[in-house]
Amino acid sequence: MEGVTAPALTPAAPARDLRRYAWLSIAAAIVTIALKAGAWLVTGSVGLLSDAAESIVNLVAAVVALVALTVAAQPADDDHHFGHSKAEYFSAAVEGLMIFIAAGVILVTSVERFLHPQPLENVGVGLGVSLVASLVNGAVAMVLLRAGRAHDSITLRADGKHLMTDVWTSIGVVAGVLLVAVTGWERLDPVVAFLVGINIVVAGVGLLKESVGGLMDTALPAERHREIATVLGRYACDDVAFHGLRTRKSGHQEFAELHLLVPGHWTVRRGHDLAEEVEDALHTELPGLRVITHLEPLEDPRSYDGVPVDIPATTADLGHEPLV
């Protein structure tokens, strides 16, 4: 028999319920929509209108994030053997598309107002309300970004980046309105709004790129591959080699597959025991990584179809005695 696949699959990380962060984002969006809409009504600033429009997108995105996190928290079932973590990528993609819609509205509105400028009113009140909304968004964005990094959630990171973009947008809009108040040149307001729209497009491109990369099973970063190779180096010797390492990421879950080459005269039990030890070591050193190993005979040329794993030379000095 050419090879035996180790039957054990490293246990999946337990499902995480991150919906409380989505609810926080929804609450922040509702508050900021009310504040920014009020600021626009009292000033007539198209820049503040664009800011309010982006907050509506934030609300839609937060609702989509809530749905995605709810789905992603579901455990593996008969139809989804690897769980539902990829649902988070759909949330990031939808949020990216919503950003483009908001940017389109802002750009069209700013061009129209540039061609037909209007005076601003009650600038002080409007800017004060807008700044309060920015503080709310900034605080929630920091919470989401920190939680996104801690839980490796693209949904929370995307929502946090979007809110932080909104903060910088608001700062730009406030600057534009202040310039209008100081200089009296009314067209500065739509010019700033137009620049805000361009900035939002850039943010949308980044989110779509990250979400598409996840859906396309992008490999883990080179640093993660080096960490895996370091662990495998503890077992590499004349009788043990590793080939064909392949990795991918699905939401917060990481997957790795590799070929374990051992002498053909070994018993299935001996090879299986080594595979179990290698998988346990990888799971211990890299929590959250699910590993599948495939046993192959060391002497068979067909066992070398995969690319050899680049084992760091220093791992030979780690003092670990492999099960061989």
Side-chain angles (χ1 to χ4, degrees), residues 1-3 237-243 260-267 270 295-305:
M1 187 172 182
E2 180 185 338
C237 60
D238 291 340
D239 286 340
V240 177
F242 299 95
H243 273 255
L260 170 57
L261 282 58
V262 300
H265 62 79
W266 278 23
T267 64
R270 188 175 183 183
L295 286 177
E296 293 188 320
L298 197 64
E299 305 85 359
D300 191 337
R302 294 173 297 178
S303 301
Y304 295 85
D305 289 342

Side-chain angles (χ1 to χ4, degrees), residues 144-197:
L144 294 179
L145 289 172
R146 190 178 297 112
R149 289 191 294 266
H151 298 285
D152 195 12
S153 169
I154 184 177
T155 297
L156 296 182
R157 291 198 305 272
D159 217 9
K161 289 178 181 178
H162 190 183
L163 286 180
M164 192 55 71
T165 299
D166 199 4
V167 172
W168 289 112
T169 296
S170 297
I171 292 174
V173 168
V174 168
V177 174
L178 284 176
L179 287 173
V180 171
V182 172
T183 66
W185 191 37
E186 297 166 353
R187 282 190 169 90
L188 277 177
D189 180 40
V191 167
V192 171
F194 188 87
L195 294 176
V196 166

Side-chain angles (χ1 to χ4, degrees), residues 68-82:
L69 290 173
T70 300
V71 174
Q74 300 299 314
D77 54 33
D78 291 339
D79 295 323
H80 305 87
H81 296 174
F82 293 94

Side-chain angles (χ1 to χ4, degrees), residues 97-272:
L97 292 174
M98 293 300 299
I99 287 176
F100 282 125
I101 294 174
V105 172
I106 292 170
L107 293 174
V108 171
T109 305
S110 61
V111 170
E112 192 278 334
R113 184 58 65 89
F114 184 86
L115 297 175
H116 305 92
Q118 296 180 14
L120 304 183
E121 301 175 357
N122 301 315
V123 172
V125 176
L127 293 186
V129 174
S130 183
L131 287 175
V132 171
S134 297
L135 291 175
V136 173
N137 272 339
V140 175
M142 293 302 296
V143 171
L144 294 179
L145 289 172
R146 190 178 297 112
R149 289 191 294 266
H151 298 285
D152 195 12
S153 169
I154 184 177
T155 297
L156 296 182
R157 291 198 305 272
D159 217 9
K161 289 178 181 178
H162 190 183
L163 286 180
M164 192 55 71
T165 299
D166 199 4
V167 172
W168 289 112
T169 296
S170 297
I171 292 174
V173 168
V174 168
V177 174
L178 284 176
L179 287 173
V180 171
V182 172
T183 66
W185 191 37
E186 297 166 353
R187 282 190 169 90
L188 277 177
D189 180 40
V191 167
V192 171
F194 188 87
L195 294 176
V196 166
I198 297 298
N199 181 54
I200 294 173
V201 169
V202 173
V205 170
L207 287 179
L208 285 178
K209 183 178 179 180
E210 187 174 2
S211 61
V212 169
L215 291 172
M216 294 298 292
D217 284 338
T218 301
L220 298 181
E223 177 59 30
R224 202 61 164 167
H225 276 231
R226 285 192 291 270
E227 293 173 353
I228 294 173
T230 298
V231 175
L232 297 179
R234 303 173 188 175
Y235 300 89
C237 60
D238 291 340
D239 286 340
V240 177
F242 299 95
H243 273 255
L245 174 63
R246 298 189 302 172
T247 64
R248 65 184 179 91
K249 187 177 179 64
S250 177
H252 69 284
Q253 186 70 64
E254 297 177 339
F255 296 88
E257 300 178 8
L258 59 104
H259 293 177
L260 170 57
L261 282 58
V262 300
H265 62 79
W266 278 23
T267 64
V268 173
R269 165 66 100 181
R270 188 175 183 183
H272 173 74

Side-chain angles (χ1 to χ4, degrees), residues 22-40 51-52 54-56 58-60 62 128-140 163 166 170:
W23 282 114
L24 175 63
S25 183
I26 290 173
I30 293 173
V31 170
T32 54
I33 287 172
L35 290 173
K36 291 179 180 181
W40 164 63
D51 215 5
E54 188 177 0
S55 292
I56 294 176
N58 290 347
L59 176 59
V60 175
V129 174
S130 183
L131 287 175
V132 171
S134 297
L135 291 175
V136 173
N137 272 339
V140 175
L163 286 180
D166 199 4
S170 297

